[in-house]
Short mmCIF file of all heavy atoms in Angstrom, two decimals:
data_model
loop_
_atom_site.label_atom_id
_atom_site.label_comp_id
_atom_site.label_asym_id
_atom_site.label_seq_id
_atom_site.Cartn_x
_atom_site.Cartn_y
_atom_site.Cartn_z
N ALA G 230 105.70 100.98 84.43
CA ALA G 230 106.89 100.13 84.53
C ALA G 230 106.66 99.02 85.55
O ALA G 230 106.35 99.30 86.71
CB ALA G 230 108.10 100.97 84.92
N PRO G 231 106.82 97.75 85.15
CA PRO G 231 106.37 96.64 86.01
C PRO G 231 107.19 96.42 87.28
O PRO G 231 106.63 96.04 88.31
CB PRO G 231 106.46 95.43 85.08
CG PRO G 231 107.44 95.82 84.02
CD PRO G 231 107.30 97.28 83.84
N GLN G 232 108.52 96.61 87.20
CA GLN G 232 109.37 96.33 88.36
C GLN G 232 109.84 97.58 89.08
O GLN G 232 110.48 97.48 90.12
CB GLN G 232 110.61 95.55 87.91
CG GLN G 232 110.32 94.21 87.24
CD GLN G 232 111.62 93.52 86.89
OE1 GLN G 232 112.25 92.88 87.74
NE2 GLN G 232 112.04 93.65 85.65
N LEU G 233 109.56 98.72 88.55
CA LEU G 233 110.15 99.97 89.03
C LEU G 233 109.28 100.59 90.12
O LEU G 233 108.05 100.60 90.03
CB LEU G 233 110.28 100.93 87.85
CG LEU G 233 110.98 102.26 88.07
CD1 LEU G 233 111.87 102.58 86.88
CD2 LEU G 233 109.94 103.37 88.26
N THR G 234 109.94 101.08 91.18
CA THR G 234 109.25 101.84 92.22
C THR G 234 109.32 103.31 91.83
O THR G 234 110.40 103.89 91.76
CB THR G 234 109.91 101.63 93.59
OG1 THR G 234 109.84 100.24 93.93
CG2 THR G 234 109.20 102.45 94.67
N LEU G 235 108.16 103.90 91.57
CA LEU G 235 108.10 105.27 91.08
C LEU G 235 107.75 106.21 92.22
O LEU G 235 106.72 106.04 92.90
CB LEU G 235 107.04 105.37 89.98
CG LEU G 235 106.81 106.75 89.37
CD1 LEU G 235 108.06 107.26 88.67
CD2 LEU G 235 105.63 106.70 88.38
N LEU G 236 108.60 107.20 92.45
CA LEU G 236 108.34 108.26 93.42
C LEU G 236 108.03 109.54 92.65
O LEU G 236 108.69 109.83 91.64
CB LEU G 236 109.56 108.49 94.32
CG LEU G 236 110.09 107.28 95.08
CD1 LEU G 236 111.33 107.69 95.88
CD2 LEU G 236 109.03 106.69 95.98
N VAL G 237 107.06 110.31 93.09
CA VAL G 237 106.67 111.54 92.40
C VAL G 237 106.81 112.71 93.36
O VAL G 237 106.17 112.73 94.41
CB VAL G 237 105.22 111.45 91.88
CG1 VAL G 237 104.85 112.73 91.14
CG2 VAL G 237 105.05 110.24 90.97
N PRO G 238 107.65 113.70 93.01
CA PRO G 238 107.84 114.85 93.89
C PRO G 238 106.68 115.83 93.78
O PRO G 238 105.88 115.77 92.84
CB PRO G 238 109.12 115.49 93.36
CG PRO G 238 109.08 115.17 91.90
CD PRO G 238 108.46 113.80 91.79
N GLY G 239 106.58 116.72 94.75
CA GLY G 239 105.67 117.85 94.60
C GLY G 239 106.28 118.89 93.69
O GLY G 239 107.36 118.71 93.15
N GLY G 240 105.56 119.99 93.51
CA GLY G 240 106.11 121.07 92.70
C GLY G 240 105.15 121.60 91.67
O GLY G 240 104.03 121.12 91.51
N ARG G 241 105.62 122.62 90.96
CA ARG G 241 104.82 123.28 89.93
C ARG G 241 105.39 122.94 88.55
O ARG G 241 106.55 123.23 88.27
CB ARG G 241 104.88 124.80 90.15
CG ARG G 241 104.14 125.61 89.09
CD ARG G 241 104.22 127.10 89.41
NE ARG G 241 105.60 127.57 89.50
CZ ARG G 241 106.34 127.93 88.44
NH1 ARG G 241 105.83 127.86 87.23
NH2 ARG G 241 107.57 128.36 88.61
N PRO G 242 104.60 122.33 87.67
CA PRO G 242 105.10 122.01 86.33
C PRO G 242 105.24 123.27 85.48
O PRO G 242 104.34 124.10 85.43
CB PRO G 242 104.02 121.09 85.74
CG PRO G 242 103.15 120.69 86.88
CD PRO G 242 103.23 121.80 87.88
N ARG G 243 106.40 123.41 84.82
CA ARG G 243 106.57 124.51 83.86
C ARG G 243 105.75 124.21 82.62
O ARG G 243 105.80 123.09 82.10
CB ARG G 243 108.04 124.64 83.49
CG ARG G 243 108.95 125.17 84.58
CD ARG G 243 110.41 125.05 84.20
NE ARG G 243 110.71 125.70 82.93
CZ ARG G 243 111.78 125.43 82.18
NH1 ARG G 243 112.62 124.48 82.56
NH2 ARG G 243 111.99 126.08 81.07
N PRO G 244 104.99 125.17 82.12
CA PRO G 244 104.17 124.92 80.93
C PRO G 244 105.00 124.40 79.76
O PRO G 244 106.09 124.87 79.50
CB PRO G 244 103.59 126.32 80.62
CG PRO G 244 103.59 127.03 81.94
CD PRO G 244 104.83 126.54 82.64
N GLY G 245 104.46 123.39 79.08
CA GLY G 245 105.14 122.81 77.92
C GLY G 245 106.26 121.88 78.34
O GLY G 245 106.27 120.70 77.99
N GLU G 246 107.19 122.39 79.11
CA GLU G 246 108.32 121.60 79.57
C GLU G 246 107.90 120.51 80.54
O GLU G 246 108.45 119.41 80.58
CB GLU G 246 109.34 122.53 80.25
CG GLU G 246 110.71 121.96 80.44
CD GLU G 246 111.50 121.92 79.15
OE1 GLU G 246 111.14 122.63 78.19
OE2 GLU G 246 112.47 121.14 79.10
N LEU G 247 106.91 120.82 81.39
CA LEU G 247 106.40 119.95 82.45
C LEU G 247 107.47 119.54 83.45
O LEU G 247 107.34 118.51 84.13
CB LEU G 247 105.69 118.72 81.85
CG LEU G 247 104.46 119.02 81.00
CD1 LEU G 247 103.75 117.73 80.63
CD2 LEU G 247 103.49 119.97 81.69
N ALA G 248 108.55 120.32 83.51
CA ALA G 248 109.56 120.12 84.57
C ALA G 248 108.98 120.61 85.88
O ALA G 248 108.35 121.67 85.94
CB ALA G 248 110.83 120.88 84.22
N LEU G 249 109.21 119.87 86.95
CA LEU G 249 108.70 120.23 88.27
C LEU G 249 109.70 121.16 88.96
O LEU G 249 110.90 120.84 89.07
CB LEU G 249 108.46 118.98 89.10
CG LEU G 249 107.30 118.12 88.55
CD1 LEU G 249 107.39 116.70 89.07
CD2 LEU G 249 105.96 118.74 88.90
N THR G 250 109.23 122.29 89.44
CA THR G 250 110.11 123.28 90.06
C THR G 250 109.44 123.86 91.29
O THR G 250 108.26 123.61 91.57
CB THR G 250 110.43 124.44 89.08
OG1 THR G 250 109.21 125.10 88.72
CG2 THR G 250 111.12 123.93 87.82
N GLY G 251 110.24 124.65 92.03
CA GLY G 251 109.70 125.35 93.17
C GLY G 251 110.05 124.71 94.50
O GLY G 251 110.70 123.65 94.56
N PRO G 252 109.64 125.32 95.61
CA PRO G 252 110.03 124.84 96.95
C PRO G 252 109.53 123.45 97.27
O PRO G 252 110.19 122.71 98.02
CB PRO G 252 109.41 125.89 97.89
CG PRO G 252 108.40 126.63 97.08
CD PRO G 252 108.88 126.59 95.68
N LEU G 253 108.36 123.04 96.75
CA LEU G 253 107.89 121.69 97.02
C LEU G 253 108.78 120.64 96.37
O LEU G 253 109.05 119.58 96.95
CB LEU G 253 106.45 121.53 96.53
CG LEU G 253 105.38 122.33 97.27
CD1 LEU G 253 104.01 122.14 96.62
CD2 LEU G 253 105.32 121.93 98.74
N THR G 254 109.25 120.91 95.16
CA THR G 254 110.18 119.99 94.50
C THR G 254 111.49 119.91 95.26
O THR G 254 112.03 118.82 95.49
CB THR G 254 110.45 120.45 93.05
OG1 THR G 254 109.21 120.71 92.40
CG2 THR G 254 111.21 119.40 92.28
N GLN G 255 112.02 121.07 95.65
CA GLN G 255 113.28 121.09 96.38
C GLN G 255 113.16 120.39 97.73
O GLN G 255 114.08 119.69 98.17
CB GLN G 255 113.75 122.53 96.54
CG GLN G 255 114.13 123.18 95.22
CD GLN G 255 114.55 124.61 95.38
OE1 GLN G 255 115.42 124.94 96.17
NE2 GLN G 255 113.92 125.52 94.62
N ALA G 256 112.00 120.55 98.41
CA ALA G 256 111.79 119.88 99.69
C ALA G 256 111.73 118.36 99.50
O ALA G 256 112.25 117.60 100.34
CB ALA G 256 110.51 120.39 100.34
#
């Protein structure tokens, strides 16, 4: 995305879903 500032959280991706979860995501 050309104008967007992208932040990426830590965490563990759920298989297939690839949703980030766990204490690193929450932190």
Side-chain angles (χ1 to χ4, degrees):
Q232 300 182 81
L233 185 139
T234 299
L235 179 63
L236 304 178
V237 181
R241 177 178 58 84
R243 290 170 55 200
E246 196 75 19
L247 298 188
L249 293 160
T250 61
L253 293 176
T254 310
Q255 294 178 53

